[in-house]
Amino acid sequence: DTGVSQNPRHKITKRGQNVTFRCDPISEHNRLYWYRQTLGQGPEFLTYFQNEAQLEKSRLLSDRFSAERPKGSFSTLEIQRTEQGDSAMYLCASSRPGLAANTGELFFGEGSRLTVL
Amino acid sequence: AQKVTQAQTEISVVEKEDVTLDCVYETRDTTYYLFWYKQPPSGELVFLIRRNSFDEQNEISGRYSWNFQKSTSSFNFTITASQVVDSAVYFCALSEAWAGGTSYGKLTFGQGTILTVHP
């Protein structure tokens, strides 16, 4: 397996700009997740896709955040009008279909670090 | 609401020492899953173990062992004979179970414990 791939790895932007992150999951995984991790904290759940359907969104995902997975393969996370509080590591994870998907074992990417100036 | 507490922010040991990482959780669910993940300096979280709330049997995998005690809502992780490569941030996590007793990937993580193993 190639692992979960995230791009870009680092993004520095000015407040008010829009940014987009991309996640390519492991190819046979039908579930995809986005988490956010701030310095010194554990990851926090943002949203979850099964194939192309977005099945759950956290209250952390304000209206400025939108995630898509149009063909059930890669996913994008867009943040509009960025704020300094959006600075964090955005982690993508995927998991296998079938019974193994029920183990909760997630395969994480290395993350996309966002710095908002 | 679910909550996971890892009271130890940082632990520093010398190679070959045993070390235990503590995890205490809160949930109203009767069926739930507990996890440990490792985050090395590269940043990529790596799954170590999953436990469901009905299985209190302790587990050993090589130098790793886990002690699940439902009565104290704890799921502690012990590394025996620690090695420098064990240096990482370790996260305990909790997920609710769907009807039917399965889990999915919406995890509640603790704040993590930074483990440093010195040669």
Side-chain angles (χ1 to χ4, degrees):
Chain A
D1 283 337
T2 56
V4 176
S5 176
Q6 293 189 244
N7 290 288
R9 295 290 313 280
H10 304 274
K11 179 72 176 179
I12 301 173
T13 191
K14 292 182 179 179
R15 189 177 54 183
Q17 298 294 306
N18 299 344
V19 296
T20 299
F21 299 114
R22 175 178 169 127
C23 172
D24 288 273
I26 294 171
S27 57
E28 66 270 25
H29 288 188
N30 68 337
R31 296 182 179 184
L32 186 146
Y33 312 82
W34 285 98
Y35 281 78
R36 181 174 69 187
Q37 185 177 20
T38 53
L39 201 61
Q41 302 297 316
E44 297 172 296
F45 172 82
L46 293 179
T47 189
Y48 151 62
F49 291 85
Q50 180 155 310
N51 300 312
E52 66 276 9
Q54 188 174 19
L55 297 185
E56 186 164 349
K57 291 169 59 174
S58 163
R59 287 173 294 177
L60 293 174
L61 219 62
S62 75
D63 291 345
R64 296 184 297 104
F65 288 71
S66 62
E68 294 182 344
R69 194 182 183 198
K71 296 182 180 179
S73 57
F74 73 91
S75 175
T76 57
L77 177 68
E78 181 183 15
I79 309 173
Q80 297 182 324
R81 305 181 302 282
T82 52
E83 300 173 356
Q84 288 183 327
D86 297 331
S87 296
M89 179 76 85
Y90 291 86
L91 299 169
C92 178
S94 66
S95 66
R96 289 184 282 247
L99 285 178
N102 300 325
T103 68
E105 177 181 355
L106 305 184
F107 293 79
F108 281 87
E110 293 182 319
S112 293
R113 181 170 296 284
L114 173 65
T115 301
V116 181
L117 302 176
Chain B
Q2 299 186 331
K3 185 178 179 182
V4 176
T5 302
Q6 295 179 253
Q8 303 150 310
T9 306
E10 291 191 55
I11 299 176
S12 181
V13 299
V14 176
E15 207 168 21
K16 297 185 183 176
E17 283 186 27
D18 298 347
V19 57
T20 296
L21 310 181
D22 297 333
C23 173
V24 174
Y25 62 92
E26 296 174 30
T27 180
R28 294 179 182 176
D29 297 329
T30 54
T31 305
Y32 50 88
Y33 290 83
L34 295 162
F35 304 83
W36 277 94
Y37 277 80
K38 174 182 179 180
Q39 188 173 39
S42 62
E44 186 176 335
L45 283 109
V46 177
F47 169 86
L48 294 178
I49 191 170
R50 177 194 75 136
R51 227 20 172 190
N52 72 50
S53 52
F54 295 120
D55 183 1
E56 290 192 67
Q57 202 170 26
N58 291 331
E59 181 157 342
I60 298 174
S61 175
R63 296 184 298 106
Y64 296 170
S65 62
W66 291 270
N67 182 285
F68 174 32
Q69 294 199 348
K70 207 167 177 178
S71 60
T72 56
S73 298
S74 66
F75 185 45
N76 296 338
F77 172 31
T78 297
I79 302 174
T80 303
S82 60
Q83 300 176 1
V84 172
V85 293
D86 295 328
S87 297
V89 184
Y90 290 86
F91 292 98
C92 181
L94 170 68
S95 80
E96 63 187 57
W98 281 338
T102 58
S103 171
Y104 73 111
K106 180 183 177 183
L107 305 181
T108 299
F109 284 86
Q111 292 181 304
T113 297
I114 302 170
L115 174 65
T116 304
V117 181
H118 299 281

